[in-house]
Amino acid sequence: MQPPQGSQQQSNALRAAKDISYGIAAGIASKIFEHPFDLTKVRLQTQVLDAEARFSGPIDCLHKTWRNEGIRGLYRGLPAPVVGAMAENASLFLTYREFQDVIKRINNQHVDEPSSMSQIAMAGAGSGAVTSFLLTPIELVKCKMQVQMLVTPALSPSVSSPQLLGPFAVLMSVIRNTGIRGLWLGHTGTFIRETGGSAAWFTTKEFVASLLVARRQSRPIDGANLTSASAKDLRPWESALSGACAGAAFNLALFPADTVKSAMQTEEELRPVSHASGKAAPKPSFLATFKAMYKAQGIRGLYAGCGVTVFRSGPSSAIIFLIYDSLSKRFG
């Protein structure tokens, strides 16, 4: 017997609310942990086109940031990525489940059937594509805030402390100078990163989790027929380990797209161009920036900051899936 339509709608709404709530909780916790490393990544990415590098590597960047700016410097721009993490994870988990349901209906499957790895990859790519539209403006504000100190003149006792813009001031400055469309500067990079990265993220997590559960339960392992593992089947360490593997896969998949995006979003601050005509410089395109960065430092430049990103993405994704799976297991 089919449940009444009203009951089904209430059930779907409750499930969506849980996905959003669990995603928000996981996003906040992971972002507080990873922000200093993300700041380091952005600062390393944005110096690729500079004539002289400000930092020799991630350790040097962390050390100089701590020495010159203190703990506040390491967490500069945190409000924007916290909001971004809340929106990103809520959107990812909500749309991921919705895309899974749509794919199953197309294949005449019941929604409670486990998804195959190919279905997980398609649902993950779809959720990443949707989420990228939410993330680009948030990451634009975050990146601009994270490089503010890099364009501030060296301070001396005779010079008063400069006024650093907060997230709202940065947001309004972008809108004032470039209009609403300017908030999506670098969206091509975000779209590529999130679409491919989310496919790799969800697929790797489910693949590793399924392997761990199958080994623990002494079931035959057939990689071609592995399906998603229910949160109820996972132990906390299995959620964390599979999540850590997923974080590394996400960032290794399409990291150069993120590097190009960061360079585009900070071009105005770090490499301003003055024009005698008084007209604003044209915004850089994704392809032109990619070519310029490749010409400047080759593949190495496109992977600037990748090491520190993979280093922090493992624990960060472990936190996300540990919290999400634990909440799903506890509250359904």
Side-chain angles (χ1 to χ4, degrees), residues 72-146:
R72 291 184 64 182
L74 290 174
Y75 280 92
R76 188 169 306 284
L78 179 62
V82 164
V83 172
M86 293 166 62
E88 177 182 18
N89 285 278
S91 173
L92 276 175
F93 285 110
L94 175 62
T95 56
Y96 171 64
R97 191 190 293 268
E98 293 300 324
F99 274 112
Q100 281 185 306
D101 289 351
V102 170
I103 291 170
K104 288 174 184 177
R105 284 196 291 268
I106 292 174
N107 292 329
N108 295 317
Q109 294 176 263
H110 192 275
V111 293
D112 292 331
E113 288 185 47
S115 298
S116 66
M117 290 299 150
S118 61
Q119 290 174 330
I120 290 169
M122 287 188 288
S127 67
V130 171
T131 302
S132 70
F133 288 91
L134 298 175
L135 278 182
T136 300
I138 295 170
E139 294 204 358
L140 177 71
V141 173
K142 178 204 73 172
C143 289
K144 287 182 178 296
M145 291 187 67
Q146 288 177 333

Side-chain angles (χ1 to χ4, degrees), residues 21-302:
S21 301
Y22 301 165
I24 287 174
I28 292 174
S30 67
K31 191 54 64 178
I32 291 174
F33 163 78
E34 72 172 33
H35 188 73
F37 304 103
D38 183 71
L39 178 138
T40 300
K41 177 209 71 170
V42 170
R43 291 188 170 187
L44 291 174
Q45 288 176 327
T46 56
Q47 70 175 9
V48 172
L49 294 177
D50 291 343
E52 184 176 346
R54 297 177 178 87
F55 312 107
S56 60
I59 301 300
D60 182 52
C61 182
L62 282 168
H63 174 69
K64 287 181 177 176
T65 300
W66 172 265
R67 185 186 64 195
N68 296 331
E69 305 170 47
I71 189 69
R72 291 184 64 182
L74 290 174
Y75 280 92
R76 188 169 306 284
L78 179 62
V82 164
V83 172
M86 293 166 62
E88 177 182 18
N89 285 278
S91 173
L92 276 175
F93 285 110
L94 175 62
T95 56
Y96 171 64
R97 191 190 293 268
E98 293 300 324
F99 274 112
Q100 281 185 306
D101 289 351
V102 170
I103 291 170
K104 288 174 184 177
R105 284 196 291 268
I106 292 174
N107 292 329
N108 295 317
Q109 294 176 263
H110 192 275
V111 293
D112 292 331
E113 288 185 47
S115 298
S116 66
M117 290 299 150
S118 61
Q119 290 174 330
I120 290 169
M122 287 188 288
S127 67
V130 171
T131 302
S132 70
F133 288 91
L134 298 175
L135 278 182
T136 300
I138 295 170
E139 294 204 358
L140 177 71
V141 173
K142 178 204 73 172
C143 289
K144 287 182 178 296
M145 291 187 67
Q146 288 177 333
V147 300
Q148 282 186 97
M149 287 297 291
L150 303 185
V151 295
T152 301
L155 300 180
S156 67
S158 61
V159 179
S160 60
S161 179
Q163 182 67 41
L164 298 176
L165 299 179
F168 184 73
V170 172
L171 177 69
M172 295 309 297
S173 175
V174 173
I175 294 175
R176 187 167 52 250
N177 295 330
T178 61
I180 294 295
R181 289 184 62 185
L183 293 174
W184 277 269
L185 174 66
H187 178 68
T188 300
T190 311
F191 181 84
I192 294 172
R193 182 198 70 192
E194 289 297 315
T195 303
S198 295
W201 196 54
F202 282 110
T203 305
T204 301
K205 191 270 180 179
E206 294 294 352
F207 181 79
V208 175
S210 296
L211 287 178
L212 293 173
V213 171
R215 286 184 181 279
R216 174 163 52 82
Q217 297 179 348
S218 300
R219 297 202 311 258
I221 297 175
D222 183 354
N225 296 314
L226 276 175
T227 57
S228 58
S230 169
K232 296 180 180 179
D233 297 329
L234 292 172
R235 293 174 177 173
W237 73 268
E238 292 170 337
S239 290
L241 178 58
S242 57
C245 294
F250 178 99
N251 287 288
L252 287 172
L254 293 162
F255 190 81
D258 184 67
T259 304
V260 175
K261 175 205 69 82
S262 294
M264 291 177 65
Q265 292 180 332
T266 57
E267 179 77 13
E268 182 180 1
E269 286 76 17
L270 298 182
R271 285 167 292 277
V273 179
S274 59
H275 290 270
S277 63
K279 296 181 179 179
K283 294 300 179 184
S285 69
F286 179 85
L287 185 58
T289 304
F290 177 90
K291 290 180 177 178
M293 297 182 82
Y294 182 80
K295 183 178 180 180
Q297 294 190 24
I299 293 295
R300 179 184 177 186
L302 292 170

